[in-house]
Amino acid sequence: MYRTGDLVRWGGGGVLEFVGRADAQVKIRGFRVEPEQVDRGASPVPGDAVVAEQGPRTRHERVLCAAFADALGLESVDIDADFFDLGGNSFAAMRLADYVSRELGTETSIRDIFEAPTAGELAARLAGAERNG
């Protein structure tokens, strides 16, 4: 079972009941953040983080920029914007990896996204894998 930090107990009829969190995280706009991030004003704010500065140059970059934007609920993402800095998380990265694998016909893992978190880096990584592959 995936460990989320949620505390639950078995209720009547075998239903899980949420009773709290094992940590101090809070949820803001769908993102889990530590309280000190809120105090510092560092919570992710989707939509405010990116203005497309460097657009995609290749098909891979176009597909990846569109996929990043869609996964993050943004209008656009430039090729140098970091997926996780923009509010991406491991769940969104899993969905993104699946989408990219289907759309580009190349095996893409969540590890690829963690190691190459920008559309430009991921496009170069996938292109290199296709050449070597």
Side-chain angles (χ1 to χ4, degrees):
M1 182 176 276
Y2 185 77
R3 294 179 186 220
T4 64
D6 290 339
L7 296 176
V8 298
R9 68 175 171 222
W10 290 107
V15 175
L16 290 176
E17 296 175 0
F18 177 78
V19 294
R21 295 277 307 162
D23 54 28
Q25 289 184 343
V26 295
K27 199 174 216 179
I28 299 175
R29 295 188 189 105
F31 297 95
R32 288 251 172 232
V33 295
E34 298 292 335
E36 60 271 11
Q37 289 177 302
V38 176
D39 295 340
R40 289 194 320 256
S43 60
V45 182
D48 291 345
V50 169
V51 173
E53 293 176 7
Q54 183 171 349
R57 301 163 296 212
T58 66
R59 177 179 178 270
H60 276 63
E61 288 178 355
R62 279 191 299 279
V63 169
L64 291 168
C65 284
F68 276 39
D70 184 59
L72 298 168
L74 300 173
E75 212 171 288
S76 63
V77 172
D78 84 282
I79 64 170
D80 297 319
D82 186 291
F83 181 77
F84 300 101
D85 288 347
L86 300 175
N89 56 41
S90 57
F91 293 118
M94 287 187 300
R95 288 190 309 272
L96 179 64
D98 180 59
Y99 175 82
V100 170
S101 293
R102 284 184 284 112
E103 211 43 46
L104 294 177
T106 182
E107 187 64 32
T108 307
S109 70
I110 189 170
R111 182 181 188 138
D112 291 324
I113 296 166
F114 274 94
E115 292 178 354
T118 71
E121 291 172 349
L122 188 55
R125 182 183 189 103
L126 297 176
E130 286 178 354
R131 282 193 299 272
N132 297 331

